[in-house]
Amino acid sequence: MPGLIGERHCVAGEARRVPGLVSPVLAAAIVLAVMVLGSWRSTPLDARIPLAHLGWEYGYIAAALVEGRGFADPFGAGTGATAWMPPLLAFWIAGIFTVLGTKTKAALVALMAVKCVGIAVAAGGLVHLLGESRYARYRLFLPLVFVCYAVANGRIFFHDYHDVWLTVLLSTAVLWMLVRLQQLSATGNGSGRRHWPIACLAALVPLTSPVLTFVLGIALLLLVRLRALRPSYWRSDQGRRVGVIILAVLASVGIWGMRNYVALERVIPVKSNLAFDFHQANVSSPTGLATSSLFMKNHPLNATPNRERYAREGEVAFLDAFEDTPRDVWTNDREGYRRRAATRARNAYLYMESESDQQPVQGELAAADAEVLIEADLMHRFDGHLYWISAMLSEDEFNGRLATLTLADPEAVLASWRVAERDWSAMRTSPRARVRGVVMALLPLSALLVALLRLRRHREPLLVAAAIVYVLFLVPYVLVSHYERYQVPLVGVFSILVFYAVASFLPARATDA
């Protein structure tokens, strides 16, 4: 990729910084207000998400830490040591539980506040990075794009307490690192600037997201290329910063990997469930996409056979059963894998389907019929509520499945299923769903192509960094497993791409032309 990252003259790197922090602070305030309002209206004390599930796997691990059981029990079943999730967020939540109580309403409000502030800081950081752009005068357009993306993904941004907000924040940090590295000289002596901020941020990346670590590593390879073979490179500004980042990442992975080896007797750099996720998307899923029905039927977090097996065998033995899945799929079903990977690529880069394919059961069903339907994988029970997980079937397919079952009232079952199928079809084909599917996939890809084409003579370091993160971040998910929660952490990157695509049609700063 000659000229994408490297020694070529950086016009934007020499642009005069727009003075002050007014724009970043204003941007952060706008996003914070939207996040607080949206989160407060949709999440606190909502009985639909019992406090027992607060933080999901992270919350269960945090509870184990507070109770003195160590980094363990990701599904709340007393199963012992784990590496199912990265550690940073779990320790952060454990700190909140220590002060405010485990999975209390106060802890929920505290987590909401941390999430909202983290998202706002990410937005403000992106606007700050735009201060060195030739299009800095338009940078308050970016928080408006960011807010639109947050609202379009309100269920995840406002109603969820998983790791999306932290990945959004750390992806901004990765963009900052890549921008600064592009602006530093690759020749000459180092300036002696302090390296600890970039070292701290780099060390946090592997503890948050293995995929973001992959992105950072490949980006550094693109940056360094063959220059690393010259000893003089490592004495330059850029070389020293690259060295600091590499050492920080290796130290972070090494320390956590040693913990995992001692606790689980396996070499696990960050998290352990890669093969399981691959199996779900490439064996259990007919389309190659992870969906909510697949999660309900197979994930150990729910009342599934996999949960029972995980509790009985422990994490290591449970995951060992999936260890050969990637090789087996590639050997025995190569065409099927390619088809499923192509579906994931379409989902990531062209049109993102909603992961939600379950529907609540409406109407009265006999208890015995519900149990039969659950056993047949047509329905699932979660937290005492029944959900159809077969609404995506055609009526002929559903009737074919029913014909093999013994039911007390098949007409009531079919009537309830028809309501679920109708609601699911309406949701999937609604204008909101169609617009969101395009905005989350095709729009950022189109924006990237437009921006790179129109700005090809005036390279913008932030645009280059965003392009690299956007493309590389989604590659592992295309190869392994993909659904909307893996796409949403890129909303900050999407906002940058859309900003540059629009700004490329506007006058640049005259002094930098």
Side-chain angles (χ1 to χ4, degrees), residues 219-291:
L220 291 180
L221 287 176
L222 293 174
L223 176 69
V224 172
R225 298 200 296 274
L226 295 179
R227 291 197 297 270
L229 300 178
R230 302 197 305 264
S232 61
Y233 172 75
W234 300 104
R235 294 192 294 271
S236 68
D237 289 340
Q238 190 185 86
R240 290 188 178 190
R241 291 295 178 93
V242 170
V244 166
I245 292 173
I246 293 173
L247 289 176
V249 169
L250 290 178
S252 183
V253 171
I255 292 172
W256 188 245
M258 287 174 56
R259 176 268 168 194
N260 291 337
Y261 186 78
V262 170
L264 299 170
E265 298 182 348
R266 289 291 189 278
V267 178
I268 305 171
V270 179
K271 57 182 297 189
S272 61
N273 60 349
L274 175 64
F276 174 78
D277 286 347
F278 185 92
H279 185 277
Q280 297 310 296
N282 295 280
V283 176
S284 300
S285 171
T287 64
L289 299 177
T291 63

Side-chain angles (χ1 to χ4, degrees), residues 30 47 52 92 98 198 354-355 361 377 381 405 416 426 458 467 501:
I30 293 171
W92 183 273
T98 300
I198 203 168
S354 172
E355 69 186 58
V361 172
D377 275 344
R381 180 181 287 109
L405 307 177
S416 176
H458 300 285

Side-chain angles (χ1 to χ4, degrees), residues 1 4-6 174-175 177-179 181-182 211-225 227 233 238 242 245-246 464-470 472-473:
M1 300 173 72
L4 185 60
I5 294 184
V174 170
L175 290 174
M177 284 186 266
L178 297 180
V179 168
L181 288 173
Q182 290 178 78
V211 172
L212 209 52
T213 308
F214 162 79
V215 171
L216 182 57
I218 298 298
L220 291 180
L221 287 176
L222 293 174
L223 176 69
V224 172
R225 298 200 296 274
R227 291 197 297 270
Y233 172 75
Q238 190 185 86
V242 170
I245 292 173
I246 293 173
V464 171
I468 291 173
V469 173
Y470 165 63
L472 293 179
F473 187 89

